[in-house]
């Protein structure tokens, strides 16, 4: 299986006229996974924690949206066998804990609703144990054997996430220079497989303070990179463009 990094939008993504279709087409182009392992920008917890594995509830971790978004459901099967396998792979390298009451946050269930709307693929979410690019790349590398076992590893974030610097009332404007420049830089690095530059993004990336005033939505990228970095397969840009002036560019690491 490949590993993915995708932009997950906000709850209104499900009503967007184009983006859900792009996500659905992308999912249809991938072999059906045996299970999905999700790493979302919205769950940072140390040590690395395994979320619910029997029934999988949702976490409505957003505020100020219309009530219908709090009624969304995604009754995916749990993935207890995947949880046990993750523990087996990761525990020799870092501490693993359990959070059995923790469900899928919107960084997980919103894109999954668009990609596998039948909710019939087992899903496990794990936490990001840190925001360190290097540490998350190594976590991805530890999880890499799952790809040969039919598990789709997804890092869910947003390639630019400068929410304080956008005007939601002008969604169709050209993206601001900081969003466009960071998007182009990241795309160039990925195309060249210049992972050293990406790991050094704090020093090398343009307009970082605007594109990512906090880096939680960028760093799930490194889990996907780590899961495939030793396979050296092709990398595809599955989705590109902007949503509310933020880059929704998403990658498939093969």
């Amino acid at each position: 299986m490949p590993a993915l990094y995708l932009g997950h939008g906000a709850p209104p993504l499900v009503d967007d006229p184009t983006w859900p279709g792009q996500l659905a087409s992308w999912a249809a182009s991938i072999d059906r996974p045996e299970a999905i392992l999700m790493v979302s920008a919205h769950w940072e917890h140390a040590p690395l924690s395994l979320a619910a594995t029997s029934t999988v509830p949702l976490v409505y971790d957003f505020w100020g949206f219309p009530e219908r978004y709090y009624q969304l459901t995604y009754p995916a099967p749990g993935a207890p066998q995947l949880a046990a396998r993750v523990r087996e792979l990761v525990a020799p390298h870092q501490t693993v804990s359990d959070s059995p009451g923790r469900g899928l946050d919107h960084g997980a269930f919103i894109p999954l609703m668009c990609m596998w709307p039948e909710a019939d693929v087992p899903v496990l979410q794990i936490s990001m144990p840190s925001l360190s690019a290097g540490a998350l790349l190594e976590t991805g590398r530890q999880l890499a054997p799952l790809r040969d076992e039919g598990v789709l590893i997804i890092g869910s974030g947003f390639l630019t996430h400068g929410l304080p610097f956008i005007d939601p009332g002008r969604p169709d404007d050209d993206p601001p220079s900081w969003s466009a420049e960071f998007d182009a830089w990241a795309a160039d690095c990925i195309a060249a497989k210049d992972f050293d530059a990406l790991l050094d993004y704090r020093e090398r990336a343009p307009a970082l303070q605007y594109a990512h005033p906090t880096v939680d939505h960028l760093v799930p990228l490194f889990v996907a990179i780590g899961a495939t970095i030793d396979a050296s397969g092709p990398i595809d840009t599955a989705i590109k463009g902007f949503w509310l002036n933020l880059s929704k560019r998403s990658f498939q690491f093969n």
Side-chain angles (χ1 to χ4, degrees), residues 4 9 12 51 73 145 175-176 189 202 212 219-220 229 243:
L4 314 183
T73 60
C189 289
R202 290 187 182 275
H212 289 284
V219 293
I229 195 169
W243 190 69

Side-chain angles (χ1 to χ4, degrees), residues 97-243:
S97 65
D98 294 296
S99 296
R102 215 293 182 168
L104 302 176
D105 59 51
H106 81 269
F109 75 81
I110 292 294
L112 291 177
M113 287 181 68
C114 300
M115 300 178 82
W116 290 276
E118 299 85 0
D120 57 355
V121 179
V123 178
L124 173 69
Q125 185 167 348
I126 63 173
S127 70
M128 293 190 295
S130 104
L131 296 180
S132 162
L136 291 174
L137 186 144
E138 288 305 316
T139 294
R141 185 177 259 138
Q142 293 157 21
L143 296 168
L146 295 174
R147 296 176 45 246
D148 292 330
E149 300 166 17
V151 176
L152 182 65
I153 299 171
I154 301 179
S156 175
F158 225 142
L159 195 60
T160 61
H161 198 247
L163 294 180
F165 311 112
I166 64 171
D167 183 353
R170 303 176 66 181
D172 298 324
D173 285 356
D174 290 337
S177 59
W178 53 263
S179 190
E181 290 170 7
F182 189 96
D183 170 71
W185 175 82
D188 289 346
C189 289
I190 292 290
K193 296 187 178 181
D194 190 351
F195 301 132
D196 289 338
L198 285 166
L199 285 165
D200 195 27
Y201 71 89
R202 290 187 182 275
E203 298 297 327
R204 302 198 202 185
L208 178 67
Q209 68 271 33
Y210 297 103
H212 289 284
T214 62
V215 300
D216 47 350
H217 280 69
L218 173 64
V219 293
L221 170 66
F222 294 101
V223 178
I225 291 173
T228 55
I229 195 169
D230 295 323
S232 66
I235 303 170
D236 300 321
T237 294
I239 296 174
K240 57 185 176 181
F242 295 83
W243 190 69

Side-chain angles (χ1 to χ4, degrees), residues 3-83:
L4 314 183
Y5 171 77
L6 54 79
H8 62 243
L13 163 61
V14 297
D15 297 323
D16 187 80
T18 59
W19 200 357
Q22 292 174 318
L23 288 165
S25 295
W26 186 10
S29 73
I30 301 169
D31 290 342
R32 178 184 168 84
E34 296 294 325
I36 295 170
L37 181 65
M38 179 67 71
V39 181
S40 164
H42 293 280
W43 192 21
E44 181 191 356
H45 180 273
L48 185 147
S49 189
L50 309 176
T53 60
S54 52
T55 58
V56 186
L58 302 187
V59 179
Y60 299 97
D61 57 334
F62 43 86
W63 299 268
F65 290 94
E67 179 62 25
R68 67 181 180 277
Y69 296 120
Y70 300 92
Q71 306 303 320
L72 296 173
T73 60
Y74 192 76
Q81 293 178 330
L82 176 56

